Amino acid sequence: MTSSSDPGSLGWRLLQELHYIFPWLVENIFGSLDGILVGWNLRCLQGRVNPIEYSIAMEFLDPSGPMMKLVYKLQAEDYKYDFPVAYLPEPVRACIEERVLPECPLYHNKVQLPAAGAQGLHLALNPFEYYMFFFALSLITQRNFPLSVHVRTSDCAYFLLVDRYLTWFLPTEGNVVPPPSTTLGGTIPSPTPRTPAVPFTSYGLHHTSLLKRHISHQPSVNADPASQEIWRSETLLQVFVEMWLHHYSLEMYQKMQSPHAKLEVLHYRLSLSSSLHSSPAQPSYQALHAYQESFKPTEEHVLVVRLLLKHLHAFSNSLKPEQVSPSTHSHTASPLEEFKRVVIPRFVQQKLYIFLQHCFGHWPLDASFRAVLEMWLSYLQPWRYAPEKQFLTADPQPRSIPEKWAPFVQENLLMYTKLFIGFLNRALRTDLVSPKNALMVFRVAKVFAQPNLAEMIQKGEQLFLEPELVIPHRQHRVFMTPTFPGNLLSSWPPAVTDASFKVKSHVYSLEGQDGQYKQMFGPEVRTLVLRLAQMIAQAKQTANSLSDYSSETSANRSFLSWLGFCPIDMNGTYCTNDLDELGQDSIKKTDEYLEKALEYLCQIFRLNEAQLAQLMMTVGTAPAENGKRQLPDSIVSDEGLVLTPLGRYQIINGLRKFDIAYQGDVELQPIRSYEIAPLVRLFFQASSAINRRFAGHMEALCSREDFLGAFCRFHLTESFQAEKSRLSPVAPHRAGRTRGPRLSLRFLASYRTLFTLLMAFLVAAVFGIGPVLCTLLISVLYLLYAVVMTAVTQKLKPHQH
């Protein structure tokens, strides 16, 4: 411990008090690790809602503010604070509890045995680490949003503090700002290594920090401040990555890539679904329950990670031009420049890939996936955050991606290929008629259609699929004279520059040696793309049909329906979705998104119009015959209609559907919203009484073949009419059952009927006609109408089949 004050001085006592209250202060700001204590609730604090509290919090927690100055002051005294291992991300916690040292250097030399009377292992953290652990974990542990307030993540204090910390400790220009001096002419030293208090049986395959090794060789006199304080930048990044991304272990992910493990997971899930009707799941299946990750990231979590990725791209791309070449940086690069070179592949790539894989596989199939999608696309486009940005102008034609980004694409090949395949599988299960889903497909297609990107990805796949044997004539491999004959490894230089080796190392490190790589430009994925192209074309047709149907409905809307008296169409052709709520502009936008997405997919995978036309014909996306909507494809069986696979596909994607109509007793159908419930019940009782009293007379009248019989049949309804339309496959086939003619007075309970009668009496009153006379006139007019309709029906009947 180093101190510039006498232990009995007032300054030393004050520092001791600050040391004791520091954990309490941090917990009161960021909340408790168990989520019970909310703290300042920085994730909900917005300047437009609480300007005073917001301003105070941002000033107090600023990288140069009072709180960070306290951290530096305590850091100078080498104080340590206990952090429970139980609140670390699950893979790290399990690793430490099994006495296996995690690969990340952040945990090295920090694990301590529990003190007397305490429970569980803990980490001995310095003040800066302790502060950053709480700050990063508060994004996950504190999820208490006030329901009455809409929180926009980009405006909240937490999001902006993350941005400030990244800008301060990972600067794109200049060096890291050194902490304030605590003694005259002195600086805060870097934390010294400590002997681990817990013996570990295995240390994993961790790498010693390149930056710390470099710093240890820096001279202590007149040293660059960035060389002395680069540990803060490294610690900040490691804490953010560990707390936000390291929730799924690489080992478990690689294990689950084998077909045998996938089959066991399928059996396990099936056993869970049938647990109510069968014996409990087998222990071998229950052991795989660990893969059913309990951690579920939120949209806010994903947005903050996207902010981190965008800044890391800008930070990495700010590398000085003279330091870009790997052959010139070994002895001349400063620690900060060296950090920029390795920041993404060493600290971020692996954990981000597993994080994205889990999100792609477990995120709900709704519009909230847009946050994950944009985070992924931000990582795939580092050129968007390059200093020059000469290709991001307003030119309508996108410029080709420079060839200098080919190494990034190749060394992140799985980020492009496997996640693209994962997105394809998601898109094939979504409703592309929805504008939000159509926008996501458009965004992905637009990014991958950038000129030269598909060629870079294809080149990366070729490098990965190259045979392991050395090809002598390749120019990008650097060869050295072997020291011993027959020693293959001796031909490799210390700094391996072989592009194929880098791609293979990337794939094998993430997927394992037994992982099966699926080519993005292979035949299997091309089939998925063709299916997506079919769905896009079908969704466009459905959106246009919805637009036409909506226009016809609006055009045919009567004055009564405008007043709210129009009956609901129980046999409506289309189901409602967000297009109905957003209107014609949204339908037009959806059509534009899908049109451009289809165009981009054709560019990426070189699809021609002849292929697309042939595919559209095979799935039955041609317009309906004679301007009428066709029914789903089905076959007739003894049990009624049975859908074919094509028919199921048509229904799922909203291309066709059966007419859904009430098939039961007309008198017993549910009361509609356009009917008066008490009157429906009253007229039903009256009709039933009349039908019971005069059933024989009505049947005798309707059985007559003269005009009187036809007149009675026109008014008296059958209890079950013969089916004139095809039943839905879900409805059982049943024979019609006739109970004779009956009188129905239910039409008198309709708002429309009553409103029409009311208007007729009001018009009659204007002309001085009383209610009795008006009723008589209405009866006479209806009698004439019924006679005419009966005569027309009788005249057409001989010609009907």
Side-chain angles (χ1 to χ4, degrees):
M1 181 181 294
T2 59
S3 176
S4 61
S5 303
D6 183 75
S9 66
L10 179 62
W12 185 85
R13 293 178 182 175
L14 177 60
L15 190 61
Q16 281 292 100
E17 292 181 2
L18 291 175
H19 162 59
Y20 290 127
I21 70 170
F22 179 69
W24 171 86
L25 179 61
V26 170
E27 188 175 80
N28 274 269
I29 293 175
F30 301 122
S32 58
L33 295 173
D34 55 12
I36 298 176
L37 180 64
V38 179
W40 291 5
N41 203 10
L42 298 173
R43 296 167 60 251
C44 298
L45 188 59
Q46 301 179 93
R48 58 183 179 84
V49 180
N50 306 103
I52 298 178
E53 293 86 344
Y54 173 85
S55 177
I56 294 174
M58 294 298 292
E59 182 178 352
F60 183 74
L61 300 176
D62 189 81
S64 60
M67 187 64 186
M68 196 59 68
K69 290 179 181 178
L70 171 62
V71 170
Y72 295 146
K73 196 170 187 66
L74 296 173
Q75 186 81 32
E77 299 298 328
D78 199 23
Y79 287 118
K80 298 296 178 181
Y81 301 93
D82 292 342
F83 187 92
V85 170
Y87 292 106
L88 293 175
E90 179 63 25
V92 180
R93 181 193 62 78
C95 190
I96 294 177
E97 289 180 349
E98 294 175 4
R99 301 300 194 268
V100 178
L101 188 66
E103 296 182 5
C104 179
L106 183 66
Y107 307 106
H108 295 181
N109 303 324
K110 294 184 176 68
V111 181
Q112 305 292 317
L113 290 171
Q119 295 181 353
L121 299 171
H122 64 272
L123 303 179
L125 304 179
N126 63 49
F128 185 79
E129 293 168 337
Y130 189 81
Y131 176 86
M132 286 302 170
F133 266 64
F134 266 84
F135 175 76
L137 278 175
S138 64
L139 176 65
I140 299 170
T141 59
Q142 305 300 321
R143 295 184 176 180
N144 300 319
F145 281 95
L147 299 178
S148 59
V149 179
H150 173 71
V151 178
R152 184 179 178 184
T153 302
S154 58
D155 293 336
C156 70
Y158 187 88
F159 188 89
L160 296 175
L161 279 173
V162 171
D163 186 48
R164 289 191 185 184
Y165 288 153
L166 291 173
T167 305
W168 185 274
F169 294 107
L170 303 174
T172 56
E173 297 180 1
N175 293 323
V176 182
V177 178
S181 300
T182 57
T183 60
L184 184 60
T187 58
I188 298 175
S190 303
T192 57
R194 293 164 53 94
T195 303
V198 178
F200 288 88
T201 58
S202 174
Y203 287 83
L205 299 175
H206 68 277
H207 304 280
T208 304
S209 173
L210 171 64
L211 301 177
K212 290 180 180 177
R213 183 172 67 250
H214 187 92
I215 295 167
S216 63
H217 296 290
Q218 291 290 335
S220 59
V221 181
N222 299 325
D224 183 2
S227 302
Q228 297 182 2
E229 297 303 328
I230 194 68
W231 63 267
R232 293 183 300 150
S233 302
E234 186 178 1
T235 299
L236 174 84
L237 179 61
Q238 287 178 342
V239 171
F240 283 178
V241 171
E242 287 293 305
M243 301 305 133
W244 295 344
L245 296 177
H246 195 186
H247 293 275
Y248 319 104
S249 64
L250 175 64
E251 294 76 12
M252 182 60 70
Y253 169 75
Q254 291 179 347
K255 176 184 177 182
M256 300 308 299
Q257 298 312 297
S258 67
H260 176 70
K262 291 180 179 179
L263 183 60
E264 285 192 346
V265 169
L266 178 60
H267 288 167
Y268 173 72
R269 291 175 176 174
L270 291 175
S271 67
L272 288 181
S273 63
S274 60
S275 60
L276 296 177
H277 308 284
S278 62
S279 60
Q282 297 297 325
S284 60
Y285 298 154
Q286 292 177 350
L288 291 171
H289 182 68
Y291 183 69
Q292 314 302 317
E293 306 285 3
S294 58
F295 180 78
K296 298 178 181 178
T298 60
E299 286 188 64
E300 181 193 18
H301 181 175
V302 172
L303 290 174
V304 174
V305 173
R306 186 191 180 204
L307 174 66
L308 171 66
L309 298 179
K310 291 167 66 175
H311 185 85
L312 289 180
H313 275 318
F315 177 69
S316 179
N317 291 335
S318 65
L319 189 67
K320 296 178 181 178
E322 61 269 16
Q323 302 293 343
V324 172
S325 175
S327 61
T328 62
H329 81 277
S330 56
H331 299 291
T332 60
S334 69
L336 186 62
E337 296 300 311
E338 190 66 40
F339 190 28
K340 293 178 181 179
R341 185 185 310 280
V342 301
V343 63
I344 290 180
R346 175 167 299 178
F347 294 96
V348 179
Q349 185 192 76
Q350 181 189 97
K351 294 181 176 65
L352 176 64
Y353 175 74
I354 306 301
F355 182 83
L356 283 170
Q357 277 282 72
H358 190 271
C359 289
F360 273 60
H362 294 77
W363 201 278
L365 290 172
D366 56 23
S368 64
F369 185 73
R370 174 77 186 280
V372 178
L373 188 76
E374 294 299 337
M375 175 182 66
W376 172 50
L377 296 180
S378 294
Y379 182 81
L380 298 186
Q381 303 178 86
W383 45 85
R384 290 184 57 86
Y385 313 101
E388 59 272 13
K389 296 183 181 179
Q390 73 271 12
F391 46 84
L392 296 178
T393 59
D395 190 350
Q397 295 297 328
R399 298 191 180 183
S400 177
I401 299 174
E403 194 64 30
K404 72 174 186 176
W405 297 106
F408 178 88
V409 175
Q410 295 165 4
E411 294 168 21
N412 289 271
L413 185 63
L414 291 174
M415 291 285 193
Y416 291 89
T417 59
K418 188 161 185 178
L419 291 180
F420 179 82
I421 297 171
F423 176 77
L424 278 181
N425 290 324
R426 287 185 62 93
L428 290 171
R429 292 179 290 157
T430 57
D431 177 18
L432 297 184
V433 183
S434 167
K436 296 175 181 178
N437 292 335
L439 174 60
M440 286 192 282
V441 175
F442 163 75
R443 289 284 294 121
V444 173
K446 181 180 180 181
V447 168
F448 278 83
Q450 294 178 88
N452 205 30
L453 179 57
E455 289 75 8
M456 290 181 181
I457 297 174
Q458 215 162 0
K459 176 62 177 177
E461 292 191 323
Q462 293 173 0
L463 291 172
F464 173 73
L465 297 174
E466 281 185 0
E468 298 292 339
L469 297 177
V470 176
I471 302 177
H473 66 272
R474 282 212 311 244
Q475 298 298 320
H476 61 270
R477 188 189 293 266
V478 179
F479 290 95
M480 297 178 62
T481 303
T483 307
F484 301 101
N487 188 351
L488 297 178
L489 297 179
S490 62
S491 63
W492 293 87
V496 179
T497 58
D498 184 85
S500 177
F501 178 78
K502 290 183 178 180
V503 175
K504 293 176 186 293
S505 299
H506 159 70
V507 174
Y508 291 143
S509 65
L510 294 177
E511 295 292 313
Q513 293 291 335
D514 300 330
Q516 299 294 324
Y517 181 79
K518 185 183 296 184
Q519 296 184 60
M520 177 176 168
F521 292 94
E524 188 175 349
V525 177
R526 187 178 181 86
T527 302
L528 294 178
V529 173
L530 291 175
R531 284 182 55 195
L532 181 61
Q534 294 171 2
M535 287 185 58
I536 289 175
Q538 292 162 347
K540 282 170 53 64
Q541 180 182 353
T542 303
N544 293 332
S545 300
L546 281 171
S547 178
D548 297 341
Y549 177 78
S550 178
S551 301
E552 292 175 4
T553 303
S554 300
N556 297 331
R557 186 172 299 161
S558 64
F559 175 72
L560 293 178
S561 62
W562 178 76
L563 292 176
F565 298 132
C566 180
I568 297 177
D569 183 12
M570 299 304 296
N571 303 327
T573 306
Y574 298 100
C575 300
T576 59
N577 54 28
D578 52 356
L579 284 174
D580 301 326
E581 300 175 0
L582 299 178
Q584 296 295 321
D585 292 340
S586 178
I587 297 177
K588 181 180 179 181
K589 204 68 176 177
T590 300
D591 189 71
E592 293 177 359
Y593 288 148
L594 295 176
E595 180 72 28
K596 295 298 294 184
L598 189 58
E599 177 183 335
Y600 289 140
L601 288 175
C602 292
Q603 294 177 13
I604 299 168
F605 294 92
R606 299 179 177 88
L607 306 178
N608 55 56
E609 295 183 359
Q611 286 178 301
L612 292 178
Q614 182 66 25
L615 289 170
M616 296 309 105
M617 292 177 62
T618 60
V619 295
T621 57
E625 298 178 358
N626 300 326
K628 295 182 179 180
R629 185 177 54 82
Q630 298 176 354
L631 295 174
D633 189 68
S634 56
I635 59 176
V636 181
S637 68
D638 294 339
E639 298 298 326
L641 295 179
V642 177
L643 285 174
T644 64
L646 175 59
R648 286 193 294 271
Y649 183 85
Q650 292 168 337
I651 290 180
I652 290 173
N653 292 276
L655 303 175
R656 299 180 183 179
K657 65 177 298 185
F658 287 93
D659 291 326
I660 300 177
Y662 183 77
Q663 300 289 341
D665 193 337
V666 178
E667 285 293 287
L668 298 179
Q669 62 182 317
I671 298 175
R672 311 302 187 188
S673 60
Y674 56 85
E675 294 177 322
I676 303 175
L679 290 182
V680 171
R681 298 186 179 96
L682 177 63
F683 287 127
F684 174 74
Q685 294 176 359
S687 301
S688 300
I690 296 174
N691 292 330
R692 286 194 301 269
R693 177 68 178 82
F694 301 102
H697 297 284
M698 289 188 293
E699 188 170 358
L701 288 173
C702 291
S703 62
R704 297 178 57 161
E705 297 296 333
D706 55 6
F707 184 83
L708 180 59
F711 185 83
C712 292
R713 288 191 295 271
F714 179 79
H715 292 87
L716 301 179
T717 61
E718 297 286 343
S719 61
F720 190 93
Q721 296 178 350
E723 297 179 7
K724 297 180 181 179
S725 61
R726 301 169 74 185
L727 287 174
S728 168
V730 299
H733 181 75
R734 53 183 187 266
R737 189 165 51 91
T738 305
R739 289 168 45 190
R742 293 186 303 165
L743 176 67
S744 177
L745 301 176
R746 183 165 176 166
F747 72 97
L748 295 175
S750 170
Y751 284 109
R752 172 182 290 182
T753 302
L754 295 177
F755 183 78
T756 303
L757 292 175
L758 177 61
M759 293 297 297
F761 281 109
L762 290 177
V763 172
V766 171
F767 291 96
I769 301 175
V772 177
L773 184 57
C774 181
T775 303
L776 181 61
L777 289 176
I778 293 175
S779 301
V780 171
L781 291 176
Y782 177 77
L783 183 61
L784 293 176
Y785 166 78
V787 169
V788 172
M789 291 301 299
T790 301
V792 172
T793 303
Q794 283 291 97
K795 188 175 182 179
L796 294 177
K797 186 174 182 180
H799 303 283
Q800 294 177 350
H801 298 284

